[in-house]
Amino acid sequence: MTESNALPKFPESYWMDSVHGMTSFPKLSQSIDTEAVVVGGGISGITTAYLLAKSGLKVVLLEADKLLNGTTGHTTAKITSQHDLIYDKLMKNAGKEKAALYYQANRDAMHFILQTIEQYDMNCGLSVEDAYIFTNSVDYIPDLESEMNAYSALGIEGKFVDSIPLSIPAKAAVRMNKQAQFHPLRYLSTLIREIIKDGVDIYEGTTAVDIQKGTLPQVITSEGHKVTCKYVVSCSHFPFYDGGGFYFARMYAERSYVLGVETGAEFPGGMYISAEEPKRSIRSAVMEDGAMLLLIGGQSHKTGQGICTINHYEMLGQYAVRHFQLQEVAYRWSAQDLITGDDIPYIGRITESSPNIFVATGYKKWGMTSGTAAAMLISDLIMERQNPYEQLFAPSRSMSLGTIKNLAVENADVAKHLIAGKLGMIYRNLEELGKDEGGIVRVQGRRAGAYRDSEGKLHLVDTTCTHLGCEVEWNDGDRTWDCPCHGSRFSISGEVIEGPADKPLKSIKKK
C-alpha cells in the first residue's frame, strides 16, 4: 500500500463515526425493581427491550459501556439468511427440518427489520440486494453446487451462476435473491427513541456481573447494586452469567477485519462473500455526502491467535488495490464473533433449571438477523407465546457426536495455548518500546504487558487473563490485550472489553 492510501492510525467504524448526537444515559446508582432486565445494548438487547415494552412489561436495559458500542457497531450490517455455506452442512448434520427452520427464522427476522423500517419511515440506508457466495477456485465449485441443491430442497429462492456482477475473479457463485443491507446504528437509534417512549429505563456504564437466582432473580452490578425482576435476558455478546451452561467451553471467539474504502470503480450492487479462505466480504454503503464507501471484510482468525494484527488490515488493503482502484482507506475496524459447535446460535433459557433467565449468543458473524430472531424468540418465551424456533435454538439442545468431538478439539487448543502462554519466551525489552507500541516484556522478573501511548506514558498490566488464567497477547491493530483461550479482550490499561472475563487485568507499578 502506498502513502496515499495508508491505513488510518486508529480503528474506527464508519457506522459509529457517521451517527451524531446519540443520547447518553446515566449509570445505575441504586438498587431498583422492574419486571424484565435486558443486559446488553446491541441489536439483540435493544430489540428485545422494544418487543417486551410493546408487550406491556416494565423493562430495564443495562449496558456496560455505551449503547451500540460493541459488536453491533462493528458489523458489516448485512440483513440476510445467506450465512456463508451453511444449508448443505445443516442438512447433513442436523437434518432437513432444522435446516429449514434455521432459514425461516432468519427470513422472519429480515422481514421484521424491513417492516419496522417501513413502520417508522426510517432513513437508515436500506437497500434490497441479491447476496452471492462466490469462488475463484475450481476446488470450491462442488461445495457451491451442494449448497444450491440445499437451497432447492429447502425452497430458498436463489440460483447457481457462473459469473457475478462485481468485476473480480469468480468462476461460480450461489445467489440468494432479495436480501438487504442497512446502516445498523440509524435503525437502532429509532428503536432506542421508541423504547424510551415506552418507559424503558436505560443505564450505561453499568456492568452486570452476576445473577442471584430465584422466583424474583436479582442482577448484580460491579458496584454492588441489584436489579430485582421476574425475567433476565443476557444479550451481552458473551453471556455475563454462565449459570452452569459452560458457555466458555461450548463456543470459541473469532476476530475479523473491515476496511471502509473509497474507490474509483463503479459498484454494480449486491452483497458478496467468498467461499474460500481467506474470506472476502464486500458490500457498499452511501455516505452522508453521497459518496460510495466500499466495505471489504475478512481475514478471520481465532482471537489472540492471529499474525501481527495490523497485517490483516494491510492484506485487505492490498486486495482493494488489486480489484477496486483504491483511492483512500477512510476507515478500518474489527469485530469479534462467537461460534457454537453446531453453527446454530444459543437462544432461549440459559439452562433447563433456570426458566426465567434467558441468553442469546453465538451468532457466527450474522448478528443482524440472528440477533433479531433472538429478540423475537425470547420475547415470545417470556410472554408465553408459541414460537416454532424454540427447540432449534435451545441452549440445552443435544448435539451430534461429531459436534462434541469438534468442541473437544477446540478445548484441546485452549489447553495448548494455556501451557504455551505460561512457558512462552519474552519478546521485547521495555526500553525498546517506542510511542504507540505494545508488547510482552519482563518487569521486576515477571511477565508483563506493556504499552507506551502517543504521549510516552507507559501502561503495564499483568498478562494473566482473569477468566481462567491463560496469558493474553498484544493486538497491535486494535491496541488491545486478547486472550487466545476463550476470547476475552482488555484495554491498554486492563479494563474488560469482551467477556467471558468480568474482572480487569491487574495493573503493575514500575518501581
Side-chain angles (χ1 to χ4, degrees):
M1 295 181 67
T2 65
E3 185 177 345
S4 62
N5 51 44
L7 295 172
K9 184 174 182 180
F10 295 100
E12 182 177 37
S13 114
Y14 164 67
W15 313 125
M16 298 180 70
D17 183 51
S18 59
V19 171
H20 312 291
M22 287 286 292
T23 303
S24 294
F25 299 93
K27 193 174 188 176
L28 183 65
S29 59
Q30 62 182 349
S31 294
I32 57 174
D33 296 341
T34 190
E35 289 185 284
V37 178
V38 179
V39 179
I43 191 167
S44 299
I46 292 168
T47 310
T48 301
Y50 170 83
L51 290 172
L52 291 177
K54 291 297 182 189
S55 296
L57 290 190
K58 176 61 180 173
V59 181
V60 167
L61 177 62
L62 304 180
E63 166 55 44
D65 188 16
K66 300 279 290 181
L67 295 185
L68 307 176
N69 206 32
T71 302
T72 296
H74 294 82
T75 178
T76 53
K78 297 176 180 178
I79 313 169
T80 179
S81 300
Q82 189 190 69
H83 295 176
D84 207 342
L85 294 170
I86 192 170
Y87 291 104
D88 177 60
K89 182 178 179 181
L90 285 178
M91 286 184 64
K92 290 175 179 174
N93 296 339
K96 181 179 178 181
E97 181 181 356
K98 289 184 177 178
L101 287 171
Y102 183 92
Y103 168 72
Q104 291 159 14
N106 286 281
R107 178 203 60 193
D108 290 354
M110 182 179 75
H111 289 164
F112 174 89
I113 293 171
L114 298 182
Q115 290 165 5
T116 304
I117 291 170
E118 181 179 6
Q119 177 182 349
Y120 294 108
D121 193 24
M122 296 184 196
N123 179 18
C124 61
L126 175 69
S127 63
V128 175
E129 307 281 351
D130 291 338
Y132 295 83
I133 310 171
F134 69 92
T135 185
N136 194 40
S137 168
V138 293
D139 294 338
Y140 280 84
I141 292 177
D143 296 324
L144 291 177
E145 292 172 337
S146 296
E147 188 73 358
M148 188 62 235
N149 290 336
Y151 279 26
S152 298
L154 297 172
I156 300 172
E157 186 181 350
K159 189 176 181 180
F160 184 91
V161 295
D162 57 12
S163 64
I164 60 176
L166 199 58
S167 297
I168 59 175
K171 298 184 185 301
V174 170
R175 184 184 72 217
M176 186 178 286
N177 299 343
K178 296 180 180 179
Q179 305 301 289
Q181 61 186 26
F182 69 160
H183 190 307
L185 271 58
R186 289 183 183 147
Y187 167 79
L188 289 166
S189 295
T190 300
L191 289 193
I192 291 168
R193 288 195 292 271
E194 286 302 310
I195 66 176
I196 293 170
K197 291 178 185 176
D198 290 334
V200 175
D201 293 325
I202 302 173
Y203 297 96
E204 294 180 326
T206 302
T207 304
V209 296
D210 201 2
I211 297 175
Q212 186 172 317
K213 294 172 63 176
T215 305
L216 295 176
Q218 294 181 318
V219 176
I220 303 170
T221 73
S222 58
E223 296 191 354
H225 302 306
K226 297 180 179 180
V227 186
T228 304
C229 58
K230 294 180 181 178
Y231 312 101
V232 182
V233 186
S234 172
C235 298
S236 54
H237 192 50
F238 194 98
F240 77 94
Y241 170 77
D242 187 81
F246 298 99
Y247 288 93
F248 65 87
R250 298 168 62 203
M251 298 186 291
Y252 64 93
E254 280 193 355
R255 292 204 72 72
S256 55
Y257 302 80
V258 181
L259 294 184
V261 303
E262 297 183 49
T263 77
E266 291 293 323
F267 190 76
M271 305 183 299
Y272 306 85
I273 188 169
S274 64
E276 62 265 37
E277 300 287 347
K279 288 292 179 186
R280 291 293 179 262
S281 169
I282 305 159
R283 63 154 288 190
S284 63
V286 178
M287 294 190 289
E288 292 174 299
D289 61 2
M292 186 198 74
L293 190 70
L294 198 63
L295 305 185
I296 302 175
Q299 293 295 126
S300 298
H301 65 86
K302 285 187 179 179
T303 299
Q305 300 182 30
I307 58 175
C308 176
T309 52
I310 201 70
N311 291 359
H312 292 294
Y313 291 111
E314 291 173 345
M315 289 178 184
L316 292 176
Q318 292 165 9
Y319 184 82
V321 168
R322 285 198 305 272
H323 299 298
F324 297 108
Q325 300 176 35
L326 175 63
Q327 294 178 342
E328 179 186 1
V329 180
Y331 297 92
R332 69 175 177 93
W333 70 87
S334 66
Q336 182 146 309
D337 295 281
L338 297 166
I339 301 171
T340 69
D342 60 1
D343 295 324
I344 299 174
Y346 298 130
I347 305 167
R349 294 176 177 87
I350 195 164
T351 61
E352 289 183 338
S353 61
S354 302
N356 52 1
I357 302 174
F358 301 85
V359 67
T361 188
Y363 299 156
K364 194 188 177 184
K365 308 181 193 304
W366 304 105
M368 298 299 96
T369 54
S370 294
T372 302
M376 297 165 72
L377 171 55
I378 290 173
S379 62
D380 280 347
L381 293 176
I382 289 174
M383 301 310 298
E384 299 182 354
R385 296 186 291 252
Q386 291 294 315
N387 187 295
Y389 312 119
E390 179 178 358
Q391 296 305 314
L392 172 70
F393 293 117
S396 57
R397 65 182 179 267
S398 60
M399 293 189 178
S400 68
L401 182 60
T403 296
I404 293 170
K405 287 180 178 178
N406 289 338
L407 287 171
V409 170
E410 295 298 336
N411 282 294
D413 184 61
V414 167
K416 178 188 75 175
H417 282 278
L418 174 62
I419 295 168
K422 299 300 182 186
L423 300 178
M425 62 184 294
I426 305 302
Y427 298 105
R428 305 289 299 272
N429 290 322
L430 189 58
E431 292 73 20
E432 292 178 351
L433 290 182
K435 291 182 178 180
D436 194 29
E437 286 188 350
I440 305 298
V441 299
R442 187 178 293 278
V443 175
Q444 294 146 205
R446 61 189 286 195
R447 175 185 165 116
Y451 171 72
R452 197 181 302 278
D453 65 26
S454 57
E455 303 298 321
K457 181 181 178 182
L458 191 63
H459 303 263
L460 292 172
V461 296
D462 187 326
T463 58
T464 302
C465 179
T466 56
H467 177 226
L468 290 178
C470 291
E471 296 298 319
V472 301
E473 298 292 342
W474 176 243
N475 176 340
D476 64 316
D478 297 324
R479 296 172 179 81
T480 58
W481 296 103
D482 297 355
C483 179
C485 291
H486 298 109
S488 296
R489 299 177 64 236
F490 305 86
S491 72
I492 57 172
S493 53
E495 289 86 359
V496 177
I497 298 173
E498 302 257 8
D502 59 12
K503 296 178 181 177
L505 299 175
K506 295 178 181 176
S507 61
I508 296 174
K509 302 297 182 183
K510 189 173 183 295
K511 296 179 180 178

